[in-house]
């Protein structure tokens, strides 16, 4: 089976019947673009999110966990009645990373979602994926966005099941995006050599708590002074104190669907930045990753729990992480030989936790 067909099989696979009334699926596309007027580089994300589609296929059931409560009496607060029901909808979210970044989001009935072996479509073109062409157009609260992007997928990672009812895969750890994006009155160009694209898919009954993600394909070797054009990595977890890791450094490919040893990763929130560390041993290699990202260049995205509308995953994420990667070869007598030391640019880095509403109905 060709790489294109394998990638499409992952992207175009639906929720299983067991998850359609209590489950979610999220497609995510991340890439760099350049403002045609100012020349400024911006990282964008396009997300498609489907939750509990069989519960209410023709009507959007959604409410904001942080909606302003109203007084029922002097001693009790309550949330809007619809918030008591599990959510059911499909949403499209397009935005920029960072505190000042704009985000455009639409909620649509799950029946507007159409998936076949050859394409994925929402609301007759609001979001459309076919033959590695991603396009869409939508407007929300006076903000307009449209895009048409060609995606060349260069490496992928398909781990097995991470834990019960929780899955993650990446059709493109490393990819080249090309095309245009119109966003909030500005035109952006997406060029293959500077897009440093990434595509992944997360699905199941619930989210991993806490949430942990790192990915990067903009890597330069300190040893040679040259870009590692085939270099990329992705880390996704935390699945009950474990995570998945994929790394491709020149001709060396490393993959672990489940890394279970808890000391192998960490995330520390400091006063003005967040620090991620990952260290994973393989049979013949050891990889160390060290990342920092300023909090002022990060923003929070929220995802309501499929089964409990009073609970959500809040993810602090950014795309301007920097750091270093070290790759070692194991040699006799437990010695390590450094075979690559690289600088990391434009790292997508995320860390999140669970938040629950205190309001009572």
């Amino acid at each position: 089976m060709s790489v294109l067909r394998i990638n499409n099989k992952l992207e175009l696979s639906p929720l299983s019947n067991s998850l359609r009334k209590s489950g979610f699926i999220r497609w995510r596309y991340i890439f760099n673009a350049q403002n045609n007027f100012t020349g400024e580089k911006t990282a964008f994300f396009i997300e498609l999110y489907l939750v509990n589609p069989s519960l209410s296929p023709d009507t959007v059931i959604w409410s904001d966990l942080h909606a302003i409560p109203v007084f029922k009496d002097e001693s009790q607060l309550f949330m809007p009645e619809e918030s008591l029901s599990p959510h059911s909808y499909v949403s499209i979210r397009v935005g920029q990373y960072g505190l000042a970044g704009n985000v455009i989001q639409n909620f649509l009935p799950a029946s507007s979602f159409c998936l076949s072996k050859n394409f994925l479509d929402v609301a007759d073109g609001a979001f459309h994926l076919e033959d590695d062409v991603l396009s869409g157009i939508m407007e929300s609260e006076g903000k307009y966005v449209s895009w048409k992007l060609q995606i060349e997928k260069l490496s992928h990672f398909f781990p097995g099941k991470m834990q019960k009812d929780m899955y993650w895969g990446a059709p493109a750890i490393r990819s080249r995006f090309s095309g245009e994006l119109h966003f909030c009155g500005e035109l952006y160009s997406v060029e293959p050599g500077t897009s440093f694209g990434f595509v992944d898919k997360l699905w199941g009954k619930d989210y991993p708590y806490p949430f942990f993600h790192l990915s990067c394909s903009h890597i330069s070797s300190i040893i040679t002074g040259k870009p590692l054009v085939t270099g990329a990595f992705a880390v996704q977890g935390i699945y009950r104190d474990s995570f998945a890791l994929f790394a491709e450094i020149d001709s060396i490919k490393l993959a672990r669907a489940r890394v279970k040893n808890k000391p192998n990763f960490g995330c520390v929130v400091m006063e003005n930045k967040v620090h991620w560390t990952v260290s994973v041993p393989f049979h013949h290699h050891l990889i160390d990753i060290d990342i920092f990202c300023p909090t002022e260049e990060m923003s929070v995205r929220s995802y309501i729990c499929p089964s409990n509308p009073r609970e959500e995953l809040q993810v602090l994420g950014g795309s301007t992480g920097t750091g270093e990667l070290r790759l070692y070869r194991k040699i006799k007598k437990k010695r390590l030989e450094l075979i690559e030391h690289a600088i990391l640019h434009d790292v997508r880095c995320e860390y999140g936790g669970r938040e629950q509403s205190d309001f009572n109905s």
Side-chain angles (χ1 to χ4, degrees), residues 205-352:
K205 283 194 172 182
D206 202 356
Y207 304 104
Y209 294 105
F211 187 93
F212 185 99
H213 176 86
L214 295 170
S215 60
C216 178
S217 60
H218 188 181
I219 304 177
S220 301
S221 173
I222 294 176
I223 295 174
T224 66
K226 298 179 180 180
L228 294 177
V229 294
T230 61
F233 72 85
V235 183
Q236 177 67 50
I238 302 169
Y239 301 98
R240 298 185 186 274
D241 298 331
S242 68
F243 58 90
L245 180 142
F246 171 90
E248 180 182 19
I249 307 298
D250 286 335
S251 60
I252 299 173
K253 293 186 178 182
L254 306 173
R256 291 275 298 273
R258 293 194 72 179
V259 180
K260 300 179 181 180
N261 296 328
K262 199 170 182 177
N264 284 346
F265 64 87
C267 182
V268 179
V269 180
M270 303 177 179
E271 183 177 354
N272 58 359
K273 58 187 174 183
V274 185
H275 182 203
W276 291 259
T277 56
V278 179
S279 180
V280 180
F282 292 81
H283 185 62
H284 295 294
H285 297 90
L286 171 70
I287 188 169
D288 285 335
I289 300 171
D290 195 37
I291 305 293
F292 291 90
C293 190
T295 53
E296 64 181 13
E297 297 175 5
M298 305 177 74
S299 55
V300 176
R301 300 193 309 281
S302 299
Y303 303 90
I304 298 294
C305 174
S307 60
N308 181 2
R310 294 187 180 278
E311 194 167 68
E312 69 178 4
L313 170 68
Q314 288 198 343
V315 178
L316 177 67
S319 65
T320 58
T322 57
E324 297 184 10
L325 178 149
R326 291 174 174 85
L327 179 63
Y328 301 90
R329 179 184 292 115
K330 295 181 180 179
I331 55 180
K332 293 181 179 180
K333 297 182 180 180
K334 299 182 179 180
R335 293 174 56 197
L336 297 175
E337 177 189 7
L338 180 66
I339 57 176
E340 186 57 79
H341 184 193
I343 295 292
L344 307 174
H345 316 270
D346 297 326
V347 184
R348 278 85 52 166
C349 35
E350 298 177 325
Y351 191 79

Side-chain angles (χ1 to χ4, degrees), residues 102-106 138-145 183-185:
N102 284 307
V103 177
I104 301 174
Q105 184 169 12
N106 268 351
M138 67 177 190
E139 185 175 359
S140 178
E141 298 180 346
K143 299 178 181 178
Y144 169 86
V145 60
F183 186 80
C184 294

Side-chain angles (χ1 to χ4, degrees), residues 137-167:
I137 181 171
M138 67 177 190
E139 185 175 359
S140 178
E141 298 180 346
K143 299 178 181 178
Y144 169 86
V145 60
S146 68
W147 64 95
K148 187 171 184 179
L149 302 166
Q150 179 78 39
I151 307 172
E152 181 185 4
K153 302 181 177 75
L154 301 171
S155 64
H156 59 265
F157 179 42
F158 304 133
K161 179 165 49 174
M162 299 293 98
Q163 66 178 57
K164 184 179 180 181
D165 299 321
M166 173 56 61
Y167 306 83

